[in-house]
Each structure stands twice: as C-alpha cells, then as structure tokens.
Amino acid sequence: NAGVTQTPKFQVLKTGQSMTLQCAQDMNHNSMYWYRQDPGMGLRLIYYSASEGTTDKGEVPNGYNVSRLNKREFSLRLESAAPSQTSVYFCASSETRGFSPLHFGNGTRLTVT
Amino acid sequence: AQKITQTQPGMFVQEKEAVTLDCTYDTSDQSYGLFWYKQPSSGEMIFLIYQGSYDEQNATEGRYSLNFQKARKSANLVISASQLGDSAMYFCAMRERRDDKIIFGKGTRLHILP
C-alpha cells in the first residue's frame, strides 16, 4: 500500500515563482491536511479538507491556496513564493469517523531563494 | 480556542530510565482526541498512541502510556525503559470532533544517553 504520496520531495524556487505540491492517498480517507514544519515551531496547519468538496483554513493559511480535486487528491499551491515559505511541508489524511490518527506523507522540502 | 502546549524543548535521559513528556491542551469542545507522534531524524511521522476525552482509562501501547488528567487538561506521554532508538522529536496533537481540525504542539526533542 502506498498510503499518502507527496510530490515532489525537494524543490527550490526563486522568490515570486509559483508551484503546486501534490498529495494523494489511497486509503479512502475523507479528511486531508497540509502542514508546514519549521524548527522550533512544530507542525502548523495550513489548510484542511474534512470531505470532498470542502476546504477550511488552518493556523497559517496566508500565501497558500488548496484544491480538493477528488477524494484521493489534495493539492497545495504557492502563487508567489516568498523566502518565509521555506519549510518542510507534510500532507496527511485520516478517517473522519471517531478519532483516527493521521497518516503522513514523507514530506516536501521547499527552499525559496 | 484550540491550543496545544509542550513546554520542554529538549530532554536528556539515561538509557533504561522512564521519561515523561509533558503536553497540556485547551479546548471548549467536550469531545476530542489526543495523539502522540514520534519523528526520528529520518523525518517520517510515526503515530504512537491515542486518548479520547471520554476514555476513563489511560491508553497504553507497549512501552508507551498516556497519563491523561482531564481536569488539568494534560496528556503526558510516558515511555518506560527508554532505548537509544527513542531519541527523536515527539509531538502532541489534538483533534476536536466539531470541526475535524488537528493541531500540534511545538514538540520535544528527546535524547537518550547510553
């Protein structure tokens, strides 16, 4: 089982460039999440989607957009990258019923110069 | 507002000793879940243990247990008989039932000394 797949694994952007981080899960989960991880800050929630067709802002949504393309896929877009968006990005998914744990992708290391 | 606080940025513990990692939380929801994750230096996130707000008994999973004190809003992770492989970052997280949002604390870096 692939679980949660994120692409790319590494990316370097120049300030002002745009890019989309892709995430797909094959566990038939309803809920999907995007986090960023920075040293000393833990994981901070950017956006999440509790079900297909819905998205909600998390703790740090500014500078990002998301699309829940279908039940499997949840993409994160940086329209105009800034150095402050240099981070490791994690996608995760979960069942909505009860309190199921998150299943994480392997992360994308993004550097904005 | 939903909030998770981990007050120990780093800890050093001798191998084979027990260790407690602190986590306090704040929520106005009556129904919520608390989770602990481990992140080794390789970077992947590993789920360790879960506690529901209505669970009367503390959760246990092998060497991991969760010391849940609801009135104090704390959910400390206890690792018994620590091993060198326990050296990692540990994150506490909370999920509220009402909106499905899951937030994390800033983490504790645990170092196990031989």
Side-chain angles (χ1 to χ4, degrees), chain A residues 23-75:
Chain A
C23 176
Q25 51 91 10
D26 62 1
M27 295 171 284
N28 203 36
H29 287 164
N30 285 317
S31 302
M32 297 187 74
Y33 303 80
W34 277 105
Y35 294 90
R36 61 177 289 174
Q37 183 177 16
D38 303 290
M41 301 299 293
L43 279 80
R44 292 182 291 172
L45 180 63
I46 305 172
Y47 271 92
Y48 67 105
S49 170
S51 62
E52 186 179 352
T54 68
T55 60
D56 287 286
K57 293 179 180 179
E59 301 167 286
V60 288
N62 291 345
Y64 305 95
N65 286 302
V66 290
S67 295
R68 184 72 184 266
L69 304 169
N70 47 55
K71 191 170 185 179
R72 289 187 64 247
E73 298 172 288
F74 189 39
S75 62

Side-chain angles (χ1 to χ4, degrees), chain A residues 31 33 35 37 40-43 45 48 50 57 59 90 94-96 98-102 104, chain B residues 31-33 35 37 39 43-45 47 50 91 95-97 99-106:
Chain A
S31 302
Y33 303 80
Y35 294 90
Q37 183 177 16
M41 301 299 293
L43 279 80
L45 180 63
Y48 67 105
K57 293 179 180 179
E59 301 167 286
F90 284 99
S94 173
E95 284 287 350
T96 306
F99 289 107
S100 301
L102 288 168
F104 282 87
Chain B
S31 181
Y32 52 89
F35 304 83
Y37 290 84
Q39 186 181 43
E44 74 267 30
M45 295 290 290
F47 165 68
Y50 154 78
F91 293 100
R95 182 177 198 164
E96 292 179 334
R97 179 175 291 282
D99 62 5
D100 215 29
K101 185 187 293 186
I102 304 175
I103 64 165
F104 284 75
K106 292 184 178 181

Side-chain angles (χ1 to χ4, degrees), chain B residues 3-113:
Chain B
K3 187 177 180 182
I4 291 280
T5 302
Q6 293 181 254
T7 58
Q8 305 153 309
M11 288 185 69
F12 290 83
V13 173
Q14 209 68 38
E15 189 180 10
K16 299 180 184 174
E17 289 184 352
V19 57
T20 297
L21 305 181
D22 294 341
C23 173
T24 58
Y25 61 92
D26 194 18
T27 178
S28 56
D29 200 347
Q30 296 301 308
S31 181
Y32 52 89
L34 297 153
F35 304 83
W36 278 91
Y37 290 84
K38 173 184 178 181
Q39 186 181 43
S41 58
S42 51
E44 74 267 30
M45 295 290 290
I46 301 167
F47 165 68
L48 295 178
I49 195 166
Y50 154 78
Q51 178 87 38
S53 59
Y54 291 114
D55 294 340
E56 294 187 353
Q57 290 196 323
N58 287 341
T60 60
E61 289 286 348
R63 294 186 300 113
Y64 304 108
S65 61
L66 201 153
N67 184 0
F68 181 48
Q69 298 187 45
K70 193 171 181 176
R72 300 174 106 181
K73 293 189 174 180
S74 77
N76 297 340
L77 177 70
V78 180
I79 306 174
S80 63
S82 56
Q83 302 170 357
L84 295 178
D86 294 332
S87 294
M89 281 290 289
Y90 288 82
F91 293 100
C92 181
M94 177 170 66
R95 182 177 198 164
E96 292 179 334
R97 179 175 291 282
R98 61 185 165 192
D99 62 5
D100 215 29
K101 185 187 293 186
I102 304 175
I103 64 165
F104 284 75
K106 292 184 178 181
T108 296
R109 184 169 293 282
L110 177 63
H111 303 268
I112 305 299
L113 304 172

